[in-house]
Amino acid sequence: MTKKYNISVEATLEVIGGKWKPVILCHLMNGKKRTGELKRLIPKITQKMLTQQLRELEHDGIINRIVYNQVPPKVEYELSTYGNSLREILHSLCIWGEHHIERTYGDAKNYLEDSILNQ
């Protein structure tokens, strides 16, 4: 059976929706990251969930998994060319979120992690 969407945003959310995928992608917009780096940047995500989300994003062609042939093994993740096409959308989500924080709580600097503000 052919898949049907009621509206095209459903297709977008099917690939990048959920609690963690947009957060992972926003961090990868700033360059390649190792799994441990992503875990430190997103402390509330479990290792199992991070691995699952990375696999799904790789399967959908949104990120590249780069394996270096060395001991100990080294793996990095980066946005793929296709994933880079989401850059504007992700940036807009970040800007909107910052405005929402300011509107709801006040100065965003008081509510965002320092690591995010310094990027």
Side-chain angles (χ1 to χ4, degrees):
M1 181 175 192
T2 304
K3 186 164 200 151
K4 295 273 187 174
Y5 297 98
N6 291 317
I7 188 169
S8 56
V9 74
E10 289 179 35
T12 306
L13 292 175
E14 185 175 77
V15 176
I16 67 163
K19 183 174 182 178
W20 299 115
K21 286 181 184 177
V23 176
I24 293 167
L25 293 172
C26 284
H27 285 297
L28 291 178
M29 283 194 334
N30 296 312
K32 294 178 188 174
K33 301 280 186 284
R34 295 179 73 173
T35 309
E37 290 177 275
L38 288 168
K39 182 69 179 94
R40 278 189 298 282
L41 290 166
I42 315 167
K44 293 183 181 175
I45 193 171
T46 65
Q47 186 63 48
K48 179 182 175 184
M49 182 57 70
L50 177 59
T51 301
Q52 177 185 334
Q53 300 294 279
L54 288 169
R55 285 184 183 147
E56 289 176 12
L57 288 165
E58 181 185 11
H59 177 266
D60 289 329
I62 305 299
I63 64 171
N64 295 322
R65 182 176 186 262
I66 305 159
V67 181
Y68 296 91
N69 189 17
Q70 66 181 52
V71 177
K74 178 180 175 182
V75 177
E76 290 182 324
Y77 295 91
E78 67 179 359
L79 288 178
S80 67
T81 302
Y82 187 49
N84 262 309
S85 68
L86 292 165
R87 193 173 283 276
E88 260 188 74
I89 295 166
L90 295 167
H91 182 70
S92 293
L93 286 170
C94 290
I95 297 299
W96 189 92
E98 193 170 318
H99 291 303
H100 176 71
I101 290 169
E102 289 173 354
R103 180 176 187 256
T104 305
Y105 305 107
D107 190 359
K109 291 177 185 155
N110 296 327
Y111 295 93
L112 287 172
E113 294 291 333
D114 288 337
S115 62
I116 299 301
L117 294 169
N118 295 325
Q119 290 183 0

